């Protein structure tokens, strides 16, 4: 397929631009471009065909099964988009006086109230633009809490090795030290190992729950208790709340602070880099440190409170990715209290259904009842037949299924992580199970044939190392 620049013909134009309806003012000579900008030149018809052709070559949740573990690539209901596109939301400016944007503030306040109810928190900020950004905000709150008490010796945050990789990275970004603890044989936090590292330097603990193996931490109350008794605070990585929303609440488990990924659990767009939203909830005692401004009730209406002397400051411009919050709010309101719970129970049921069926052939790492996802390990097949997790993933592409997450979590060799989510039907899952079982048979009988997969795509196997080390990010015509 030709690049859009290669299709360009000098002088060819798009359809008509509307007449300019504002006064034209001349830019100073020094600011003017001296050479043409070099955009492709083509007709609207050709442009439309070009992008449609590109679309046909990509694969998304609208094209077929997309079992992308840990990312909750679930269907984004169209009504979410419709609501966020309402002119009263879409056409406002962040610098408008608050009395003219009361509806928008009310939407933020309502989203805060509902997500606090789901997480068991007292307050929430919508400024963070992603999960990792929310983690940074939350750990800064914890750091500020200790600093305000003059407790400056606390510089360590404990992070189990089954945590999401962003957790230790976040700790480093705040200038604190991440202390890793190895999981027990059941894939969960080992309480003895935890107790061994807790001490006067402990500022807190970050827990990914369900952890990256898709397992619920069974000693969760003891874990939060151990940290609190040592004077630390506990942070809940709630990026994947898909298994527990409406059923269990981090606030009731003793957590002081939590982030959510609206672009995972709460069905807002995900992929291609955003925009995301990683709101952070906290208990009352951490609220003075939240990023400013915060939305507050004032009389019959709402206002934005900037007067927060203890605030950690701004984390992002304005109020976060507002249109994404609107989509999540729509999702919560359309599902309702019962629907939220049903989504979680169905997600867990679907994951366990696939886990059970696939365990006929595949080795499940830590084969216990899982939450929203589970992890298979291909290390046996690799040893016997030379077939890797990547081979299986590529073979799935030829059968019209998007590969699951590969080689994650790092503590499982040759990992394939499957997360069907609640929006997939039994028929779709059965087809995927059949495809995976069939690929397994091929892997045993004729392993060579799988090394070449995928065969049905415009590009087969790429040299991933070269792509990462020597990326070509510019068109060189
Ligand atoms: C996805 C994820 C994150 C990071 O979220 P981003 O929006 O990608 O920054 C953090 N923790 C867990 C458990 C996740 O699954």
């Amino acid at each position: 397929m030709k690049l859009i620049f290669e299709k360009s013909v000098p002088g060819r134009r798009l359809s008509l631009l509307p007449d300019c309806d504002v006064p034209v003012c001349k830019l100073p000579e020094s600011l003017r471009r001296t050479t043409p900008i070099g955009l492709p030149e083509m007709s609207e018809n050709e442009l439309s065909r070009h992008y449609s052709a590109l679309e046909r070559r990509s694969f998304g949740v609208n094209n077929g099964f997309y079992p992308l573990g840990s990312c909750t690539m679930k269907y984004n209901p169209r009504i979410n988009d419709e609501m966020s596109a309402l002119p009263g939301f879409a056409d406002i400016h962040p610098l408008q006086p608050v009395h003219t944007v009361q509806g928008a503030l009310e939407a933020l306040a309502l989203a805060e109230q509902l997500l606090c109810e789901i997480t068991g928190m007292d307050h929430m900020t919508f400024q963070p633009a992603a999960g990792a950004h929310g983690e940074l905000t939350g750990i800064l709150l914890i750091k500020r809490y200790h600093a305000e008490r003059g407790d400056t010796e606390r510089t360590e945050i404990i992070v189990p090795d089954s945590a999401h990789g962003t957790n230790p990275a976040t700790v480093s970004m705040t200038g604190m030290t991440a202390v890793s603890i190895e999981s027990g044989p059941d894939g969960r936090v080992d309480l003895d190992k935890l107790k061994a590292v807790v001490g006067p330097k402990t500022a807190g603990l970050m827990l990914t729950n369900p952890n990256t193996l898709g397992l619920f931490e069974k000693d969760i109350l003891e874990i939060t208790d151990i940290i609190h008794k040592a004077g630390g605070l506990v942070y809940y990585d709630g990026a994947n709340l898909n298994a527990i929303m409406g059923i269990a609440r981090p606030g009731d488990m003793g957590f002081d602070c939590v982030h959510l990924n609206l672009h995972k659990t709460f069905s807002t767009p995900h992929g291609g880099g955003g925009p995301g939203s990683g709101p952070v909830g906290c208990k009352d005692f951490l609220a003075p440190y939240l990023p400013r401004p915060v939305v507050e009730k004032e009389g019959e209406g709402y206002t934005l409170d900037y007067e927060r002397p203890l605030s950690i400051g701004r984390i992002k411009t304005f109020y976060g990715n507002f249109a994404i919050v609107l989509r999540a709010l729509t999702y919560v309101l359309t599902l309702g209290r019962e629907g939220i719970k049903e989504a979680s129970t169905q997600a867990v049921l679907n994951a366990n259904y696939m886990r059970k069926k696939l365990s006929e052939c595949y080795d499940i790492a830590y084969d216990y009842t899982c939450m929203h996802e589970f992890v298979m390990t291909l290390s046996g097949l690799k040893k016997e037949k030379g077939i890797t997790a990547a081979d299986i993933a590529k073979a799935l592409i030829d059968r019209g299924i998007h590969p699951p997450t590969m080689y994650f979590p790092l503590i499982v060799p040759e990992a394939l992580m499957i997360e069907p989510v609640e929006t997939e039907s039994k028929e779709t899952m059965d087809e995927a199970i059949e495809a995976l079982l069939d690929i397994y048979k091929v892997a045993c009988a004729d392993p060579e044939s799988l090394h070449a997969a995928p065969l049905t795509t415009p590009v087969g196997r790429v040299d991933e190392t070269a792509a990462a080390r020597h990326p070509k990010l510019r068109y060189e015509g």
Side-chain angles (χ1 to χ4, degrees):
M1 188 173 161
K2 277 189 177 171
L3 295 176
I4 194 166
F5 289 95
E6 292 162 347
K7 291 182 182 165
S8 170
V9 176
R12 195 156 286 170
R13 284 287 173 268
L14 270 178
S15 54
L16 303 168
L17 286 174
D19 285 339
C20 181
D21 61 355
V22 291
V24 177
C25 77
K26 285 226 155 158
L27 278 177
E29 203 60 46
S30 63
L31 295 179
R32 288 212 215 143
R33 181 178 284 287
T34 52
T35 50
I37 192 167
L39 291 176
E41 299 174 75
M42 60 204 309
S43 69
E44 182 175 314
N45 178 8
E46 287 160 342
L47 184 71
S48 176
R49 277 186 195 148
H50 178 75
Y51 282 109
S52 299
L54 280 180
E55 191 207 316
R56 282 194 298 276
R57 287 189 165 202
S58 69
F59 188 97
V61 77
N62 286 337
N63 303 93
F65 189 46
Y66 207 120
L68 201 65
S70 104
C71 282
T72 316
M73 188 63 74
K74 58 190 192 183
Y75 181 67
N76 305 152
R78 288 293 167 262
I79 189 173
N80 296 356
D81 291 335
E82 272 172 47
M83 293 302 116
S84 74
L86 288 174
F89 289 133
D91 296 346
I92 54 177
H93 191 280
L95 293 177
Q96 257 175 257
V98 286
H99 75 271
T100 65
V101 287
Q102 285 295 306
L105 296 184
E106 187 179 348
L108 280 173
L110 182 60
E112 177 177 0
Q113 182 201 327
L114 295 176
L115 293 175
C116 278
E117 188 178 331
I118 290 172
T119 52
M121 292 288 142
D122 299 321
H123 299 276
M124 193 163 280
T125 173
F126 290 102
Q127 263 188 38
H133 199 193
E135 291 171 33
L136 177 69
T137 309
I139 297 303
L140 287 176
L141 297 182
I142 291 177
K143 195 179 174 188
R144 177 58 64 89
Y145 163 83
H146 291 305
E148 284 300 321
R149 291 158 45 95
D151 205 352
T152 50
E153 297 301 303
R154 296 187 181 274
T155 53
E156 292 180 351
I157 299 271
I158 299 164
V159 186
D161 69 357
S162 59
H164 196 265
T166 48
N167 293 186
T170 292
V171 176
S172 301
M173 287 201 51
T174 63
M176 294 204 273
T177 308
V179 177
S180 177
I181 49 168
E182 207 184 309
S183 301
D186 61 352
R188 281 137 167 143
V189 171
D190 181 326
L191 288 184
D192 291 328
K193 291 208 169 100
L194 174 63
K195 285 179 194 152
V197 296
V198 168
K201 286 183 136 186
T202 303
L205 170 130
M206 288 182 96
L207 196 76
T208 300
N209 187 59
N211 66 23
T212 54
L213 296 165
L215 303 175
F216 196 97
E217 291 294 345
K218 59 180 175 12
D219 298 319
I220 207 147
L221 292 174
E222 267 178 281
I223 295 170
T224 56
D225 196 44
I226 290 169
I227 301 297
H228 279 152
K229 287 215 170 97
L233 298 184
V234 265
Y235 183 91
Y236 189 99
D237 180 336
N240 297 305
L241 212 69
N242 220 39
I244 71 157
M245 60 176 180
I247 299 166
R249 310 193 311 164
D252 299 336
M253 303 173 204
F255 288 87
D256 304 296
C257 194
V258 54
H259 87 262
L260 302 174
N261 276 26
L262 300 188
H263 46 290
K264 290 182 180 172
T265 312
F266 294 92
S267 83
T268 70
H270 186 179
S277 180
V280 172
C282 68
K283 291 284 178 71
D284 271 327
F285 73 97
L286 287 174
Y289 314 122
L290 282 173
R292 61 177 167 240
V294 299
V295 178
E296 270 184 0
K297 188 101 191 132
E298 189 185 60
E300 288 299 293
Y302 295 89
T303 187
L304 287 166
D305 181 9
Y306 287 85
E307 299 297 319
R308 304 182 65 83
L310 298 179
S311 166
I312 59 167
R314 269 199 185 279
I315 282 292
K316 193 181 183 302
T317 47
F318 302 119
Y319 324 105
N321 286 325
F322 176 60
I324 298 296
V325 179
L326 290 173
R327 286 174 171 86
L329 175 62
T330 306
Y331 181 69
V332 172
L333 289 174
T334 42
L335 283 184
R337 191 171 269 113
E338 283 310 307
I340 288 278
K341 188 171 165 183
E342 202 184 320
S344 281
T345 46
Q346 191 67 43
V348 172
L349 181 63
N350 283 0
N352 279 292
Y353 177 70
M354 288 197 70
R355 179 183 61 87
K356 200 76 200 156
K357 291 269 181 178
L358 289 173
S359 67
E360 268 176 39
C361 285
Y362 290 90
D363 291 331
I364 313 291
Y366 307 95
D367 196 8
Y368 305 99
T369 303
C370 64
M371 293 280 103
H372 58 302
E373 63 194 3
F374 63 95
V375 183
M376 312 198 294
T377 171
L378 275 298
S379 57
L381 207 54
K382 187 179 176 188
K383 235 175 267 155
E384 284 163 33
K385 303 282 176 188
I387 288 291
T388 63
D391 291 326
I392 304 282
K394 304 283 184 200
L396 272 174
I397 298 175
D398 280 336
R399 290 161 201 250
I401 294 174
H402 194 283
T405 297
M406 301 187 289
Y407 300 100
F408 181 88
L410 300 179
I411 53 178
V412 175
E414 293 299 323
L416 281 184
M417 172 191 267
I418 295 187
E419 178 179 8
V421 307
E422 70 281 6
T423 41
E424 295 302 339
S425 66
K426 181 170 176 297
E427 293 75 25
T428 303
M429 289 190 294
D430 282 340
E431 276 170 30
I433 290 164
E434 208 173 293
L436 274 160
L437 295 179
D438 191 52
I439 291 169
Y440 193 92
K441 277 187 212 131
V442 176
C444 294
D446 180 14
E448 271 314 304
S449 70
L450 287 189
H451 292 315
L455 299 167
T456 56
T457 48
V459 178
R461 295 221 183 178
V462 293
D463 181 343
E464 290 172 12
T465 312
R469 295 286 179 272
H470 309 288
K472 280 195 187 155
L473 302 177
R474 282 187 82 212
Y475 170 63
E476 290 158 10

